[in-house]
Amino acid sequence: LELKAKMSGEEFITFEQAATILRTELNYPADRAEHFVKTFDRNKDGKLSAKEFQDFRQKVEETKSSLVPKFKEYDKDGNGYITLEEASEILQSPPFNFPSGKVIMLLRKFDNDSNGKLDIEEFAGFYADAKATHEEIAARFDQLDKDGNGV
């Protein structure tokens, strides 16, 4: 998507155009896409300048390469959200093996709009927290497992 030229010669892209990128490339839910785009509008002028768009584009690419494969793996019905059922399936299976109470706590913590499901932005925090918790538990277990027998 090319940047539009303003009469002053400054290049910019509208929120709507940037939101289209999110919906197309990341299967981002429409109701969340524009909200996410607005976080890159540093000068709050209602559009993304060339620099703001560059930062936005970099974040999109980083997200696609690391998070999108996981999100798509867990978004079983492909609707652009991770439901409570899908989140439970993730975290109650290896390597996490979290109890259901922990799953519900994590979902509530990262479900910023309280709609009972996670979009990709919310999933990013949810998954990072789950991974960090798992790694912390695994490291602690390794410390306690003096003879290395896994028990």
Side-chain angles (χ1 to χ4, degrees):
L1 187 60
E2 292 189 35
L3 295 174
K4 290 185 173 183
K6 266 179 46 174
M7 292 181 67
S8 67
E10 179 187 339
E11 294 182 310
F12 69 93
I13 186 171
T14 66
F15 287 168
E16 187 177 308
Q17 290 169 314
T20 298
I21 292 170
L22 288 175
R23 288 191 306 273
T24 304
E25 295 187 23
L26 297 176
N27 195 29
Y28 222 90
D31 58 330
R32 301 288 297 159
E34 192 165 322
H35 170 75
F36 179 71
V37 170
K38 287 178 180 178
T39 65
F40 291 89
D41 183 19
R42 310 274 187 262
N43 62 1
K44 307 294 182 215
D45 66 355
K47 56 189 172 278
L48 299 183
S49 67
K51 173 64 176 128
E52 291 167 338
F53 179 70
Q54 180 182 3
D55 293 344
F56 165 78
R57 196 71 208 158
Q58 181 178 347
K59 184 65 173 177
V60 168
E61 292 306 316
E62 287 171 8
T63 302
K64 282 170 56 176
S65 65
S66 63
L67 189 64
V68 171
K70 280 291 173 206
F71 186 83
K72 286 184 176 181
E73 176 185 339
Y74 298 135
D75 180 18
K76 302 287 187 206
D77 58 9
N79 69 351
Y81 291 100
I82 303 293
T83 63
L84 176 59
E85 294 77 24
E86 291 165 334
S88 294
E89 188 177 318
I90 296 165
L91 295 182
Q92 291 182 319
S93 302
F96 300 111
N97 299 316
F98 289 162
S100 60
K102 175 74 173 170
V103 174
I104 292 168
M105 184 199 73
L106 275 173
L107 185 64
R108 285 186 181 142
K109 178 179 177 181
F110 291 99
D111 182 16
N112 298 326
D113 54 9
S114 301
N115 64 356
K117 51 193 175 185
L118 303 175
D119 60 37
I120 195 160
E121 185 181 344
E122 294 166 327
F123 177 76
F126 169 82
Y127 193 73
D129 193 277
K131 241 178 111 173
T133 301
H134 168 70
E135 289 166 2
E136 205 175 283
I137 291 169
R140 183 69 183 131
F141 179 81
D142 288 345
Q143 286 176 344
L144 296 172
D145 187 18
K146 301 284 187 214
D147 60 5
N149 69 356
V151 182

